[in-house]
Amino acid sequence: TSSAPRMPERYVTSHPVLAGMLAGACEICITYPFEYSKVQCQLLSRVPIAPPSPALSPSSLSSSSSSNKPPVVQSRRPSTLISVIRDTVRRQGPLALYEGLSPWLVFSIPRAAIKFSTYEALLHRSNAYLDSTELVPP
């Protein structure tokens, strides 16, 4: 009688919903800074950088009292995920990388719990079925 390979009992969790919730929370907490920086790169790529304006020249600054236009400042745009992360940490601190994390946690924790517990239930059912049936080779 041959049986399907089984998972050792020490790897079987008794609380698959809790294990899934923990896995989902860990996954989001680890990957969220990269998601945050990806969104920041996308947003920054849509903001046009103004060309240097004559309003910034020293001669025009002295005569700009008649003009009500504020001077246009050219800003440097971070171009990579790592540069966005570096700039965010430098300017706002490391916790700024986790702004907006709570909606992601609200979504991902139940999703991971359902996915993990469904997988575990199907795995145990299939193992129980394979154990109860005798596979006869053709």
Side-chain angles (χ1 to χ4, degrees), residues 4-21:
R6 295 202 49 166
M7 191 177 354
E9 286 299 318
R10 67 175 182 223
Y11 295 119
V12 176
T13 178
S14 60
H15 303 289
V17 173
L18 292 177
M21 291 172 72

Side-chain angles (χ1 to χ4, degrees), residues 4-39:
R6 295 202 49 166
M7 191 177 354
E9 286 299 318
R10 67 175 182 223
Y11 295 119
V12 176
T13 178
S14 60
H15 303 289
V17 173
L18 292 177
M21 291 172 72
L22 182 63
C26 289
E27 172 194 8
I28 290 301
C29 288
I30 290 170
T31 60
Y32 186 75
F34 296 103
E35 180 67 27
Y36 172 84
S37 60
K38 179 193 80 162
V39 170

Side-chain angles (χ1 to χ4, degrees), residues 93-112:
L95 290 179
L97 293 172
Y98 290 96
E99 283 183 12
L101 176 68
S102 54
W104 284 82
L105 287 174
V106 167
F107 169 73
S108 71
I109 289 176
R111 178 181 56 100

